[in-house]
Amino acid sequence: MKYKQLFSLIAFTLASAPVYATSVDLDFSNHIESTNLSNSFGPSYNGPVMHFLNVGTHNGKTIDAKVSSEIFGDATFLFHTPNYKDGGGQPEGDIGFLYQVNSPGSAGLIYTFEFYDGTDGLSGTFSVPYTVPEFDMIGYDIDGEPVQSEQVRVFKNEGFYSYQTGSAGASLTAEESVDGQSVLFTGPGTNYSETDTSGAVKFTFKNTSIVTLQFETVTTSGSPFPNPIFSAFDGNWDLDQFIPPVTSSDQSDFGDAPDSYGTLQASNGAEHALSSSLYLGSSIDADTDGQPGIASNGDDLDVGGNDDDGITVLTSLEKGLDSLIRVNAFGSGYLQAWADWDMSGTFDEGEQIIKNHAVINGQQIIPIRVDSDAVIGSVQTRFRLSSSPNIPSDGYAGDGEVEDYVFSVTDPGTTIQHSNYYTAAFEDNWPETGDFDLNDVVTYYRTTIISKDDEVLRFDLTGTITAYGASYGNGLGWKLNGFAESDINLQLARLEKNGGTRPNISPFTGEDKDIASPSGDLVVVASLNLLNDIPINGECQFHRTNPSCSASLESEQMTFSISLPFNEGSEPSVSSLMPLNGGDPFIFGPGHGSYHGDSFTTSPGKELEIHTSDFPPTTRGTLVGDFYGTADDDSDSTSSKYYRTTSNLPWGILISSSWNHPSEYIDISNAYPDFAEWATSGGISKPTWYLNPNGDKTWSTDD
């Protein structure tokens, strides 16, 4: 009815329903946007989107949320009312909204909840989706009246698991859409009180970071116009007299790994609602429950036939090396995969081998890496495809398919060797010195080779961005020596960010693998623009350089990995790459049109490079030579002097240890009293200058 639709996000358990996870209670009271309206509903906000901090907690994590509105048909969105009906004896932590229909016919409102990781430094960034394992929504007064119908549609691919309607004679009806992708709940057409279950419905969602509630109404010409409709979502109310839960789909797909991995429904097993638009392989069949077995073939031998046919291992799984798998998908979604490398009987933290890989309809090749500590022999794996990202290895998903396999791991007799850890730090104002705090880009990294029989099978470069004190965009790369780009198996080569593979991105360019890299020097790229990749907290302005910003807000750091497997027959010898060192790190312009200082009349692109002192630009850095000897630069290629001032001060430094970089706007010579003597002497005096900081002017790497 008008003004009285009420939804609830609550946390309670029904004895008649199996309990797989603790339902997360959500509270929409801590909003970021300031209310700018006052009306009978309470303080309200008339923008289409609201952001909320700490709407709930789960597993030690804080959850933030974004709530968005979108009108369809002849309707108008008016406002949100956060913490609607706050007060004694009233629900708390809810959010209401008001929209109006302006003419007869069909119209409505799409109201979308998106959940994000808001823990510590991610608070308020709304950048990392958070998959909530289970939560409930109760809707009240979806009953309708003579001049308008009242309906709400929910979507299966968003983790919609079950529903309950009222037990009274008049109650909502549920109807699945023709395509099987959604369920529409329609009110009985009579006005009931808010506490009457005749107009109520409870939804349960599992393992999703997004929920879309689509309100649909048909208004007759007998209604006054505009016709306002109010709804609210609350976290504290409860209703009795619900019928037993009904699953959102009466057909599901389960796995067949041993039950210790989460296979049976009673063990919160991996379960997918059957969908005709998304699955692995050529077919999918319905299972009454999981079919656990040591060979993971229960789903292959059942009456539905072998439908676990979406994954094929193309190259052997060798300990510590890379392998290729072929994925055959019907539809587009996110692929997750796990491998129990230590065969402990569970998929432990760190055993996820594919995370949020976007697959499309058809076949695609995906590289995976066998853990260097993997047990030789059989390994249990699990692959899950779904429309939702970040789903775990067990539990319910709204669509897609789970396929379990047992593969074999062999021992190639490999040796793994690491370099020391290095810190590279840059001032990005070249050819001007700027504030000379050398914290515009700071990265901590090491190199690794995996070899067998004195042949290097793979070269890795892994690290962390420990500071970004720049307002400019900057890419990050390395010039390498000892082998050629053509020696590398580009199909297996990969670039990772924060533990996830950047699909089909070449480590030689940072762009799609189909784009050829320039000829010339061997260069690898960790990021085309760190300003877009690192988690900069809005309160801090920069990343881990502002001394007035709490370190807890910047605990999250960007990690990266560049992996270069060699083609068979092109493997370099171990001696040709030893001793392992820090290479030649450099930063570069993020692209034409991005301002990078007053020295450039036009904004430079990637041909602007800034290396550590006395390393020349690569063959890609074609702009640099035009600016030798300008502004503060005193580079002289004839004497192999690069990126230094007249007093030998560098724009980039390389240190073979961790390093406490200067705080924002603190000249490095003030943060490190021995630095200037070391620099002007050409590195002869004070060689351990970096071990003696002025502690109150640096940012500790322990923070």
Side-chain angles (χ1 to χ4, degrees), residues 444-526:
Y444 184 57
Y445 65 97
R446 72 176 178 182
T447 57
T448 301
I449 59 172
I450 294 88
S451 62
K452 178 183 179 181
D453 299 331
D454 197 41
E455 291 184 341
V456 178
L457 305 180
R458 194 179 75 231
F459 178 94
D460 291 347
L461 193 154
T462 56
T464 302
I465 304 300
T466 55
Y468 196 84
S471 56
Y472 301 157
N474 292 286
L476 176 64
W478 278 259
K479 176 186 173 184
L480 302 176
N481 294 299
F483 54 93
E485 185 177 320
S486 59
D487 295 334
I488 301 302
N489 185 327
L490 185 60
Q491 190 176 38
L492 280 176
R494 60 179 174 174
L495 180 63
E496 293 183 358
K497 172 190 170 186
N498 298 334
T501 300
R502 290 179 159 174
N504 205 45
I505 297 299
S506 168
F508 301 119
T509 63
E511 299 178 285
D512 193 281
K513 287 182 178 179
D514 294 334
I515 300 175
S517 64
S519 58
D521 291 331
L522 174 63
V523 170
V524 292
V525 175

Side-chain angles (χ1 to χ4, degrees), residues 261-588:
Y261 296 98
T263 299
L264 291 171
Q265 190 177 48
S267 304
N268 193 32
E271 176 184 358
H272 292 253
L274 251 65
S275 167
S276 60
S277 60
L278 185 65
Y279 50 85
L280 289 165
S282 59
S283 64
I284 183 173
D285 61 25
D287 305 317
T288 56
D289 202 345
Q291 303 173 76
I294 193 169
S296 291
N297 60 1
D299 206 17
D300 306 340
L301 304 176
D302 63 11
V303 294
N306 179 15
D307 67 323
D308 279 4
D309 58 351
I311 307 297
T312 304
V313 174
L314 300 178
T315 57
S316 60
L317 300 177
E318 297 186 343
K319 180 177 178 179
L321 298 182
D322 296 285
S323 182
L324 291 175
I325 63 168
R326 182 174 60 228
V327 177
N328 185 22
F330 184 88
S332 300
Y334 295 98
L335 182 67
Q336 324 289 335
W338 296 263
D340 184 16
W341 297 125
D342 60 1
M343 288 304 289
S344 65
T346 59
F347 296 121
D348 302 323
E349 184 177 359
E351 289 189 325
Q352 185 166 3
I353 57 175
I354 298 174
K355 183 175 182 180
N356 294 339
H357 189 100
V359 300
I360 60 175
N361 189 67
Q363 295 187 1
Q364 43 250 281
I365 308 300
I366 301 175
I368 63 172
R369 175 160 300 166
V370 181
D371 191 83
S372 58
D373 295 322
V375 173
I376 303 303
S378 298
V379 60
Q380 178 66 55
T381 65
R382 169 164 290 169
F383 296 82
R384 301 191 72 179
L385 176 65
S386 174
S387 293
S388 298
N390 298 311
I391 62 171
S393 62
D394 58 1
Y396 177 82
D399 61 1
E401 185 177 6
V402 53
E403 294 190 351
D404 295 336
Y405 297 86
V406 174
F407 296 127
S408 296
V409 175
T410 60
D411 185 359
T414 58
T415 299
I416 301 175
Q417 296 169 277
H418 302 288
S419 73
N420 293 331
Y421 274 101
Y422 290 83
T423 297
F426 298 91
E427 178 67 36
D428 71 351
N429 281 280
W430 184 89
E432 302 170 38
T433 53
D435 55 13
F436 208 62
D437 48 20
L438 280 177
N439 66 16
D440 291 338
V441 177
V442 184
T443 180
Y444 184 57
Y445 65 97
R446 72 176 178 182
T447 57
T448 301
I449 59 172
I450 294 88
S451 62
K452 178 183 179 181
D453 299 331
D454 197 41
E455 291 184 341
V456 178
L457 305 180
R458 194 179 75 231
F459 178 94
D460 291 347
L461 193 154
T462 56
T464 302
I465 304 300
T466 55
Y468 196 84
S471 56
Y472 301 157
N474 292 286
L476 176 64
W478 278 259
K479 176 186 173 184
L480 302 176
N481 294 299
F483 54 93
E485 185 177 320
S486 59
D487 295 334
I488 301 302
N489 185 327
L490 185 60
Q491 190 176 38
L492 280 176
R494 60 179 174 174
L495 180 63
E496 293 183 358
K497 172 190 170 186
N498 298 334
T501 300
R502 290 179 159 174
N504 205 45
I505 297 299
S506 168
F508 301 119
T509 63
E511 299 178 285
D512 193 281
K513 287 182 178 179
D514 294 334
I515 300 175
S517 64
S519 58
D521 291 331
L522 174 63
V523 170
V524 292
V525 175
S527 171
L528 287 175
N529 191 352
L530 291 167
L531 194 60
N532 295 334
D533 285 338
I534 59 177
I536 297 178
N537 188 283
E539 295 181 31
C540 305
Q541 186 178 0
F542 303 110
H543 181 59
R544 295 172 57 84
T545 66
N546 190 340
S548 65
C549 196
S550 170
S552 64
L553 297 177
E554 302 185 309
S555 58
E556 192 80 9
Q557 299 178 61
M558 173 190 164
T559 63
F560 59 87
S561 175
I562 300 169
S563 180
L564 305 175
F566 289 92
N567 289 313
E568 186 174 355
S570 298
E571 302 93 340
S573 66
V574 172
S575 59
S576 68
L577 295 183
M578 297 297 285
L580 289 172
N581 54 46
D584 175 9
F586 64 96
I587 59 176
F588 55 88

